[in-house]
Amino acid sequence: REAEMVAERVTMALSTPFKLNGHDMFVSTSVGIVLRSEAHRTPEDLLRDADVALYRAKDAGRARYAIYDVSMGTAMVERVNLEADLRRALDRGELSLHYQPQLDLQHGEMIAAEALVRWMHPDRGPVSPAQFLPVAEESGLINAVDAWVLREACRQGQRWVTQFGRDITISVNVSGRQLRRPELVENLAVILYETRFDPHNLKLEISEGAVMADTAQTSDTLDALLQLGVQVVIDDFGTGYSSLTQLRRFPIDTLKLDGTFVRALGQDADAAIIASALIGLAHSLGLKVIAEGIERIEQLNHLRALNCEYGQGNYFSVPLSAADFTDWLRDDSTHEREPIPAD
């Protein structure tokens, strides 16, 4: 408890704003605490485990403290091993893309295919994106992963355009770290040129939180993407802290309703109220809405009743490998898709 009290005093002292060149500056503090045991034979042992606890404090949301326990060390070793394996995965070609269709909810026509990265580890087997993408973010590997995903998605999109003789729009997630890289637009232009993929057929999905992190730089980047011809969608809408009026400052025309709101439709009355409010506000500002995570007919019916334009989810199709999605496109092109049936 004495160590916790010291951590609290340090955190409180450093939370007081201070002046720097006439500006108020704010600092948050994360603290890692380790209690000495027989396992700690040197100062380096103590510092190592305090550092592990520090990372746990940061993972828990920053501006807090954490006390080391042995399970943290095990988790840290696992994270380090996973990071090393991910670095090798990029070189060994272990990553692949799966594609999930996004549909017009009124007519059932495909409007785009979202590219979703997958990792097949030679020993671990399939590794969940929820497991390896946070590691990629923390280690900086996300830049290399994002670049690979963009290039492969554009390359595959152009293959489908050539094969089926019609425009195919590909939607790709871009991390906040990638969005803040000044060379993003230039690199993307090179990828589009090399793959010959039409920029008007590419959509970038950027999380609400990433867009609002640095509004000045983000606005410049989004304007440059618009000039390039690329579409921009705000992902995970409803989970951040922005308002629609803030988002309207950016060159976007579509919001992606987070799946947490969609999955509760038909089961939670409050979820329907929230979804209705978010969709209504988006429409009032001239924005279109795509809902993710549609898994049941009652969710689809609710969204159609709310005039939600687009949607995706396992109700229509699970994410498919490139080969399987090619078959899906071939079947889709052999007949005019019937409107999605009502309840």
Side-chain angles (χ1 to χ4, degrees), residues 102 112-115 169-173 201-205 233:
Q102 299 175 341
E114 181 178 4
T169 298
I170 303 295
S171 189
V172 179
N173 292 278
N201 291 336
L202 178 63
K203 291 198 298 185
L204 298 184
E205 296 192 9
V233 176

Side-chain angles (χ1 to χ4, degrees), residues 52 56 67-78:
V52 170
R56 175 59 61 87
I67 300 175
Y68 175 83
D69 64 50
V70 176
S71 64
M72 290 183 186
T74 303
M76 183 59 69
V77 170
E78 171 62 18

Side-chain angles (χ1 to χ4, degrees), residues 179-180 208-223 241-243 245-251:
L179 183 65
R180 292 188 293 271
E208 180 184 356
V211 168
M212 300 307 300
D214 185 347
T215 54
Q217 180 180 345
T218 298
S219 183
D220 291 342
T221 300
L222 296 183
D223 284 336
Y241 301 99
S242 62
S243 68
T245 53
Q246 286 177 302
L247 290 175
R248 283 300 290 161
R249 291 184 294 166
F250 302 115

